[in-house]
């Protein structure tokens, strides 16, 4: 963002500003971060066994404020800070889950979760299988992930592939405010461990969503399930953009631009990477006959690669063109001034659309 | 529940003993040792005890109970090693020589207390009450863990070193949040103290003032690497003070000393004084596993020296001299041990009870579409094999 001059217009009187603020309050759009925060609070209310901990999640409310106010409202026994040790946080959560709790833990940033990888891969993922179902680990590992926020090194990794590759874990990633709320509630209520990826560039994004109504519907079990359910983020007919998390908004932007040129793109938001919804993805591709998979993570041996493989195995005879990928390059995540060259952009997606062997 | 709370408790306890908090946390100058290798009771001034580091002697009944478990443990170790040699079991990491540690770790626990063992702690797991063949499931290669950890309050035997110490901390933490009376003994070896999770587990336990006893069996080797290449600390028990907890060293082949120390440690933890670190000096008298060749890294004379300090003969000599171990008691104890050994032999003679379809059943609480498809593929393969 470039430096700007004051956004305050001196010509607007104080009274007008107050009236505008009041109107805005009544019709306040909700941020993605607030939806997550509300989901955590509602889960703490709904289930006494839910407990939240991590680094800076207590008094501070998390470096992204996702746990803001929870310690004050629910007490330090329900939401508390731990020593600075990711393996310790995950390992302690394993023990608490063994002993009847539902821990929801925060890894402060994607790449800071790596010290905990042994606990995740060797225990979180395997405990149920190891014990023939006798020990389940209902726990959620929240990971703010991906780039687009000008973060320095180790703060922008798209690490979902490591976890998606590990049997026994579920991997969710919401891309809109409504899903942020519903998917986190569902993750916390799951009897399996869920690695919950939060696209950090979306934390401040706003939508007009009635969180109270969402909560009432969820508590009354009226909400549609999101686990294992992809979402059609935009209906279209000419080609399918398959994506998730931070790239959904980019895909939607590309679809909007394509529509101006008369190409009608469908956008599928995977949401639940594990378990994966083959049906929704493949139904869309069979309908359009063309597909591009988009993700920020480096493409080699990635979730995007897996989706391409699944689509061609299942939709080969419906395809008019090879399934393409638009992903991050196979490089370590770049420094802030260079990240725009690395991340999938609407333009790069449209270039890929052009390559889908359209008939002349 | 905070680091201040832990240190506050330690200050109070140390005041009661008339010593400084540092002297309470640091291990006594000498290792605690009640019985000589020949089974004679050491004079009080040679037991290594000092103010704040004193341990009441266990009752005769308690010692007899522990001795019976010790004999059973030795019998199980030797039976399992024999079964491996006969090709009836894939692998067995024997704790021959370390049985006193294992017995004490399990026997000191109450009904609501948990044990977190490693792969070498079969005897501790059996002493906790797990059925013999359920313990052997993993070494038999049938499944990874064959018992219900919640039913026995005994975690799966952990293979990745020290990772289970953090789970022990979590179990204790959950119990504390619910106001339950639960003490946890978390076991590991000397090599494991070099792992990062050892540090994180001790630190978390102390910061949250949790009733966890970290019980290190220092058997002198991490497979082949000796303790001198593992740590430059004065002792492993000295590490405790760095976390703000009490540490103690004990002769790990002296069942009486172990029972005395572990009983007090569990009581201290139960009373809310936070975690403790106990280092038991023992020796792995056999190779790491049947796949290991210990002649490549240690002299036979060293092993022979430790055979002279054997925990079983030492305890037996004491109990006989004390007139507690009658011929009748001896034969009853031996018969009970043989019952377990026979159960193991009989169990190993049965065909493995496995079903390949089960491979897909426990990955998630509800089988995914993809796993259902993969299971169908395997079932189809099996059906074609049968046809």
């Amino acid at each position: 963002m470039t430096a700007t001059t004051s956004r305050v217009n001196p010509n607007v009187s104080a009274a007008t500003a107050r009236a505008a603020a009041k109107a805005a309050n009544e019709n306040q759009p909700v941020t993605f971060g607030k939806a997550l925060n509300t989901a955590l609070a509602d889960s703490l209310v709904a289930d006494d066994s839910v407990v939240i901990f991590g680094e800076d999640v207590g008094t501070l409310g998390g470096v992204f404020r996702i746990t803001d106010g929870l310690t004050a409202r629910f007490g330090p026994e329900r939401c508390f800070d731990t020593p600075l040790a990711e393996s310790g946080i995950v390992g302690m959560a394993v023990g608490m889950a063994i002993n009847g709790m539902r821990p929801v833990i925060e890894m402060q940033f994607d790449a800071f979760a790596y010290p905990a990888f042994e606990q995740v891969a060797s225990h979180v993922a395997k405990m149920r299988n190891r014990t023939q179902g006798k020990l389940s680990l209902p726990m959620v590992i929240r990971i703010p992930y991906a780039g687009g926020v000008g973060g320095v090194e180790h703060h922008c990794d798209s690490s979902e592939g490591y976890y998606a590759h590990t049997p026994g874990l579920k991997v969710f990633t919401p891309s809109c405010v409504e899903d942020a709320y519903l998917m986190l509630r569902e993750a916390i209520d799951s009897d399996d461990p869920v690695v919950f990826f939060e696209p950090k560039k979306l934390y401040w994004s706003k939508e007009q969503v009635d969180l109270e109504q969402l909560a009432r519907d969820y508590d009354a079990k009226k909400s549609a399930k999101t686990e294992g359910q992809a979402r059609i983020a935009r209906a279209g007919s000419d080609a399918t953009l398959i994506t998730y998390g931070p790239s959904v908004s980019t895909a939607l932007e590309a679809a909007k631009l394509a529509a101006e040129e008369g190409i009608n793109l469908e956008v599928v938001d995977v949401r639940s990477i594990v378990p994966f919804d083959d049906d929704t993805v493949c139904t869309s591709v069979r309908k359009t006959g063309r597909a591009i998979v988009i993700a920020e993570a480096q493409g080699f041996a990635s979730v995007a690669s897996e989706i391409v493989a699944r689509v061609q195995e299942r939709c080969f005879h419906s395809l008019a063109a090879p399934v393409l990928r638009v992903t991050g390059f196979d490089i370590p995540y770049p420094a802030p001034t260079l990240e725009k060259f690395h991340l999938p952009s609407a333009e790069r997606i449209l270039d890929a659309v052009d390559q889908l062997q359209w008939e002349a | 529940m905070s680091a201040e709370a832990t240190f506050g408790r330690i200050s109070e306890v140390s005041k009661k003993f008339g010593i400084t908090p540092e002297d309470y946390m640091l291990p006594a100058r000498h290792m605690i040792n009640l019985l000589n290798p020949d089974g004679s009771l050491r004079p009080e001034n040679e037991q290594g005890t000092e103010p704040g580091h004193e341990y009441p002697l266990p009752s005769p009944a308690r010692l007899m109970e522990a001795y019976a478990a010790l004999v059973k443990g030795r019998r199980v170790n030797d039976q399992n090693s024999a079964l491996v040699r006969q090709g009836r079991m894939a692998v067995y990491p024997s704790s021959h020589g370390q049985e006193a540690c294992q017995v004490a770790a399990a026997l000191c626990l109450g009904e609501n207390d948990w044990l977190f063992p490693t792969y070498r702690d079969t005897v501790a797991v059996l002493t906790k009450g797990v059925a013999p063949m359920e313990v052997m499931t993993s070494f038999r290669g049938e499944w990874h863990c064959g018992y219900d950890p919640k039913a026995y309050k005994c975690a799966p035997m952990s293979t990745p070193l020290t990772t289970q110490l953090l789970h022990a901390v979590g179990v204790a933490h959950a119990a504390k949040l619910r106001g339950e009376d639960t003490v946890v003994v978390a076991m590991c070896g000397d090599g494991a103290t070099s792992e990062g999770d050892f540090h994180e587990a001790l630190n978390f336990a102390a910061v949250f003032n949790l009733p966890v006893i970290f019980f290190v069996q220092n058997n002198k080797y991490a497979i082949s690497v000796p303790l001198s290449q593992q740590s430059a600390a004065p002792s492993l028990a000295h590490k405790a003070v760095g976390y703000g907890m009490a540490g103690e060293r004990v002769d790990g082949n002296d069942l009486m000393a172990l029972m005395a120390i572990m009983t007090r440690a569990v009581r201290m933890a139960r009373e809310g004084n936070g975690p403790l670190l106990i280092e038991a000096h023992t020796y792995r008298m056999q190779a790491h596993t049947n796949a290991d060749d210990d002649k490549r890294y240690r002299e036979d004379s060293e092993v022979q020296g430790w055979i002279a300090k054997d925990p079983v003969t030492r305890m037996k000599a004491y109990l006989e001299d004390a007139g507690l171990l009658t011929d009748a008691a001896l034969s009853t104890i031996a018969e009970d041990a043989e019952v377990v050994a026979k159960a193991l032999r009989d169990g190993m003679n049965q065909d493995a009870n496995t079903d390949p379809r089960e491979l897909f059943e426990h990955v998630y609480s509800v089988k995914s579409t993809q796993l259902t498809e993969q299971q169908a593929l395997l079932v189809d393969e099996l059906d074609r094999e049968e046809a």
Side-chain angles (χ1 to χ4, degrees), chain B residues 306-337:
Chain B
W306 277 92
I307 288 174
K309 300 179 197 170
D310 189 273
V312 185
T313 49
R314 185 186 308 201
M315 198 63 215
K316 181 167 180 262
Y318 172 82
L319 292 171
E320 281 175 341
D321 286 353
L324 294 165
L325 198 56
T326 59
D327 286 349
L330 257 180
S331 59
T332 306
I333 288 169
E335 278 162 26
D336 287 351

Side-chain angles (χ1 to χ4, degrees), chain A residues 7 56 58 73 94 134 160 188 221 224 234 250 290 350:
Chain A
R7 291 202 183 85
D56 301 299
R73 181 174 163 197
V94 168
K134 293 183 186 82
E160 68 274 17
I188 294 170
K221 301 192 190 313
R234 184 190 193 277
T250 318
R290 290 174 170 84
L350 291 174

